[in-house]
Amino acid sequence: MLQLKGIIPPMITPLKNSDRLDREGLANLIEHMIRGGVHGIFILGTNGEAPSLSRSLKKELVRTAGKQIKQRVPFLVGISDTSLSVSLDMADNAKENGADAVVVTPPYYYPLDQKEVYEYYAALASKLPLPFFIYNIPSHTKIHLSIETVRKIKDLGALGIKDSSGDLFYFYALMDALKEAPDFSFITGTELFLPETVMNGGHGAVAGGANVFPQLFVSLYEASVKKDLDSISILRKNMLDLYNSLYRVGKHPSRITAGIKCALSVMGICDDYMAPPLQKLTGDERSQVELIIKNITLNPGAGS
Amino acid sequence: MLQLKGIIPPMITPLKNSDRLDREGLANLIEHMIRGGVHGIFILGTNGEAPSLSRSLKKELVRTAGKQIKQRVPFLVGISDTSLSVSLDMADNAKENGADAVVVTPPYYYPLDQKEVYEYYAALASKLPLPFFIYNIPSHTKIHLSIETVRKIKDLGALGIKDSSGDLFYFYALMDALKEAPDFSFITGTELFLPETVMNGGHGAVAGGANVFPQLFVSLYEASVKKDLDSISILRKNMLDLYNSLYRVGKHPSRITAGIKCALSVMGICDDYMAPPLQKLTGDERSQVELIIKNITLNPGAGS
Amino acid sequence: MLQLKGIIPPMITPLKNSDRLDREGLANLIEHMIRGGVHGIFILGTNGEAPSLSRSLKKELVRTAGKQIKQRVPFLVGISDTSLSVSLDMADNAKENGADAVVVTPPYYYPLDQKEVYEYYAALASKLPLPFFIYNIPSHTKIHLSIETVRKIKDLGALGIKDSSGDLFYFYALMDALKEAPDFSFITGTELFLPETVMNGGHGAVAGGANVFPQLFVSLYEASVKKDLDSISILRKNMLDLYNSLYRVGKHPSRITAGIKCALSVMGICDDYMAPPLQKLTGDERSQVELIIKNITLNPGAGS
Amino acid sequence: MLQLKGIIPPMITPLKNSDRLDREGLANLIEHMIRGGVHGIFILGTNGEAPSLSRSLKKELVRTAGKQIKQRVPFLVGISDTSLSVSLDMADNAKENGADAVVVTPPYYYPLDQKEVYEYYAALASKLPLPFFIYNIPSHTKIHLSIETVRKIKDLGALGIKDSSGDLFYFYALMDALKEAPDFSFITGTELFLPETVMNGGHGAVAGGANVFPQLFVSLYEASVKKDLDSISILRKNMLDLYNSLYRVGKHPSRITAGIKCALSVMGICDDYMAPPLQKLTGDERSQVELIIKNITLNPGAGS
């Protein structure tokens, strides 16, 4: 059984425009991340702009990425949607293209109670052709999965949870509550909490920054596994530098994703087009990113 | 130019199951509403479970409903989605099938600021084949359109706004702020506020209850236009009875829609299946609805 | 038994500084409001800056205001506090100084559930020397009194409720739920909803603007009682002008209260000092208020 | 200059009833905590029910606690109030009774913006007779102090911040932003985050559980200072046991404080009366606490 651990970047989706993949950029990006030592790749999540893309484009992405990854690392595909039948169709497509597992949030339009959410997962799980991960991201779905609901969804066969609540108190409580399930993966979606997660029973991070600096996050993961506090302290400082520079450019709520895409473009890896409603960085903002990337490259610590 | 007014039911979608329309029920329901005097029909909104349905099913619904309505009343189609290209495809389909206008919320996954929302509408408006209505429903989209944003979207050519914020203070302020635009329609999505809306410069209501009791809402609209306070008082009491009975059955956040679907099923008009994640009323809850409908029928006031 | 109705201004507190009343301004203001025809005066509410004042200053205000009002109109005193024993002490003082009733919010520091809130009112009611009004203002107390809780507090002997939730849907539902209690007063704290309140079974408004323009609000109340829609329409327009001018000066969340105090100062009625943490309007903002007041005076409609 | 660090229990207030201290219990409790090795004592905070108590009772508590503590550990007094003049009076009283510093939240009734909050602290700081700590607890005050506001209040002379936001992401960002100020104390109000705080540049915890089990928290603090991960892991497990037992008894939002008071009563240390609006545990809930305390005593790990 697949047990996820380590650094799994939530891959941004390289786009030429709203209807066209940047296929060359996609290949570059996948190679960049694998070369950086990542332990898996997760496409079509929040960073991947999945909700903004048409289904045909998403399927093309799954197919192309699957061919590029070629089973070298676990391949996870987001199938979250507001429609169960659309999610199932995306899951079938993921399976056909070599995905190891799918990742799924609760449906995100209607306000739902925990019972409805559980039953949604139950209906889904009974028809999925692949194992699945739970994805908790209340800032986007409006629904915070209770510990009891996660436990029940785990019993439906979930392999683990990616928690992007940003609420470490909840995540600790969740790990404590489900500690009797040794094969269940606890993956934080808040990269800043990677050491806390790994040193307290969790398994890794879906780290957006690992699109750009995979080695930094892989090193931090390894230091966390070894409980090497000195290395953690240094690498953590490098990570905080990202929060104080790259992640702070731009003025929209999605500026972290935009900064990551812009950095990849500056580094020549892929295009930085963003599909509506999100917007890429331009003008002065791009110039700031250029400067940031240049300085980080001169200072090999951060990119190492 | 289409100026919307009066009672426009947000039609529930009659379903056999998640992938199949109840076509006979759909015909029944449309005839029931038109016979009741409604001033338009709005399909594929929140009550219509649009986010839960596959695109092919939605297109089939548009086609079938358009044929049934046959231009007898204005025909509005919801095209809200998280993807601009999907919304545009749905808009083209709406036009092909005789829709008079489309209705569109902001995209509802990413947290967005007002500028991003405006630019999304701008990108959409430039490519829409039909006039559009703004749909404000922050409880579902997480985004409350500011008065300034509504003004700017109006200037993109919007025909009006359907406001389901439930915040009458905001709606009054909005009507006051845009009062210089006599052709812009202000439609409340909170049916309880129909008289307030119509007597203070607004034009009508997207009233979920008008699926079941179209005449009640049409009468209340007409009394509001005439400022006939005595009739308003009586009809309003009938409406409040719905809040105290039909709308209170069930225990999930979507219970009003479920109650409406159940009532239509009890009345023999259409099936009451609900697509995941929503759930239809069953067992005791259905029995309660049966009793409510029976009592209302015995008391012709409410259904009149 | 006191049944409150009509216009009850939530009196601002005229202050020389944080520790000293503007006694002359207080007398002026009370006379200004009574001359304007108000149906009661409510001191030490949210507009009255009660939470910002020391207990001795509040007692001095009660004593001085009581002497000035001299039973000419019902006299209500806010006793809200986070401490039950402080509230009871303030209630005793209110009684000694001729108050007709006290007004009380839930305690506003701890997050509380409905049961705790109810039991707080029960403990309070059993010891109060005067009848009391419930004051619902969730934006400040963090607690929204449920309809069921209001019903139970009513049964403890409450004379009525002042609802400042701004949620007319809730207020309508509340009036509908408690309509069997003909002596219970429903008073809106959202002055814009005065006509809606009075025409749908409610009794009046605690209208901040009535500090400045008591006649405007009294006229609107009277027109609402008579259901004189033409007058309502005209007077409502005058009220909306306040929202678009006086209430919009300043940039802090408390700008409406600051605008009211500033207007009274510009009109020569009382000082406009505000106790920390609130801040009075100064400089350009005061100049804007001067212009607004001058224009309103030239246009006798608004101040009538 | 006082630099706070280590374990500073937010002392519960032993009460006979709403108007009377449990003076013997107070002495017992202070000795219990000092014997347990705490590095300071903070009275009249949220756990101390300060907002529920009359000012005279609070002053009596300060006087009595000061005499008992006798400078053996730093003595901190909460002076938070909605009124600046009341806070200043409490600060004077704290100084007279030997307090080392005061602790103050923003005023908690009016919604305030960051500028108003800063200016409130500025007005306060200029008149305080003692050094002060900032207390951030948005769940109770409705106000989340921004990093920029904290920086500016630090420059007014604040000794440090107690952060009870529960948001470790914010707290890490705050510590990173102010890392150039080596004397500023970062104290978490979320006891679960004690190791994270101390190992990432912070100084200690205001730990409610240290009222009952001071040694447990002191040991965890010392292990965190030494970065002794094995001990941290064991002690942390003991702390999580509290979350899964003592902190889970009761059904109101204040159940953690109620559980702590009940445990102290069960242990014979002090009375467990709670002032309105909070309620003590009784009946079955008390029996559960008795069992929990008995089991913990049998298992010396937790109480050590």
Side-chain angles (χ1 to χ4, degrees), chain A residues 60-228:
Chain A
E60 184 192 343
L61 173 67
V62 174
R63 195 166 56 243
T64 315
K67 278 186 192 155
Q68 185 75 33
I69 293 171
K70 285 199 218 77
Q71 321 287 342
R72 288 177 288 171
V73 294
F75 176 32
L76 283 83
V77 176
I79 61 165
S80 305
D81 201 281
T82 57
S83 161
L84 184 79
S85 62
V86 172
S87 286
L88 287 171
D89 179 55
M90 284 300 299
D92 289 340
N93 179 69
K95 183 179 171 67
E96 285 161 23
N97 289 288
D100 295 287
V102 294
V103 181
V104 59
T105 68
Y108 38 80
Y109 184 72
Y110 293 104
L112 301 175
D113 59 30
Q114 297 288 318
K115 187 166 180 292
E116 287 169 311
V117 169
Y118 168 71
E119 287 174 11
Y120 189 86
Y121 275 98
L124 188 77
S126 69
K127 295 180 184 166
L128 278 179
L130 281 173
F132 72 103
F133 274 81
I134 307 165
Y135 185 175
N136 187 43
I137 182 166
S139 57
H140 290 61
T141 62
K142 305 185 295 284
I143 293 160
H144 200 332
L145 296 167
S146 76
I147 290 176
E148 198 44 38
T149 299
V150 174
R151 182 196 301 279
K152 288 168 63 188
I153 301 174
K154 174 184 74 60
D155 292 344
L156 293 170
L159 294 182
I161 184 168
K162 179 206 165 186
D163 177 48
S164 297
S165 68
D167 181 351
L168 191 62
F169 193 98
Y170 161 84
F171 198 48
Y172 279 168
L174 186 69
M175 291 197 284
D176 185 56
L178 304 187
K179 60 180 177 277
E180 84 293 347
D183 296 331
F184 193 76
S185 290
F186 297 97
I187 307 288
T188 182
T190 306
E191 58 195 39
L192 191 61
F193 294 154
L194 170 60
E196 286 76 4
T197 298
V198 171
M199 293 199 292
N200 287 290
H203 303 88
V206 168
N211 279 275
V212 188
F213 303 113
Q215 281 178 278
L216 167 64
F217 289 89
V218 169
S219 301
L220 182 55
Y221 169 70
E222 289 167 353
S224 301
V225 170
K226 287 185 237 154
K227 303 195 180 187
D228 171 353

Side-chain angles (χ1 to χ4, degrees), chain A residues 5-47:
Chain A
K5 61 180 186 186
I7 299 301
I8 305 112
M11 194 183 79
I12 60 92
T13 300
L15 294 168
K16 289 288 188 193
N17 60 45
S18 292
D19 297 312
R20 197 148 68 87
L21 280 184
D22 170 11
R23 298 175 70 103
E24 189 183 332
L26 174 62
N28 289 342
L29 176 57
I30 289 172
E31 293 310 311
H32 171 68
M33 295 188 297
I34 291 180
R35 212 160 43 230
V38 301
H39 305 85
I41 291 178
F42 165 40
I43 70 168
L44 290 173
T46 303
N47 265 288

Side-chain angles (χ1 to χ4, degrees), chain B residues 6-79:
Chain B
I7 299 301
I8 305 113
M11 194 182 80
I12 60 91
T13 300
L15 295 168
K16 288 288 187 193
N17 59 46
S18 292
D19 297 313
R20 197 148 68 86
L21 280 184
D22 171 10
R23 299 175 68 103
E24 188 184 332
L26 175 62
N28 289 342
L29 176 56
I30 288 171
E31 294 310 311
H32 172 67
M33 295 188 297
I34 291 180
R35 213 158 44 229
V38 302
H39 306 85
I41 291 178
F42 165 40
I43 70 169
L44 290 173
T46 304
N47 265 288
E49 296 176 80
S52 308
L53 306 178
S54 71
R55 210 184 324 171
S56 58
L57 190 71
K58 288 193 279 194
K59 288 185 173 178
E60 184 191 342
L61 174 67
V62 174
R63 196 166 58 241
T64 315
K67 279 187 190 154
Q68 187 73 33
I69 293 172
K70 285 198 218 77
Q71 321 286 344
R72 288 176 288 170
V73 294
F75 176 33
L76 283 83
V77 175
I79 61 164

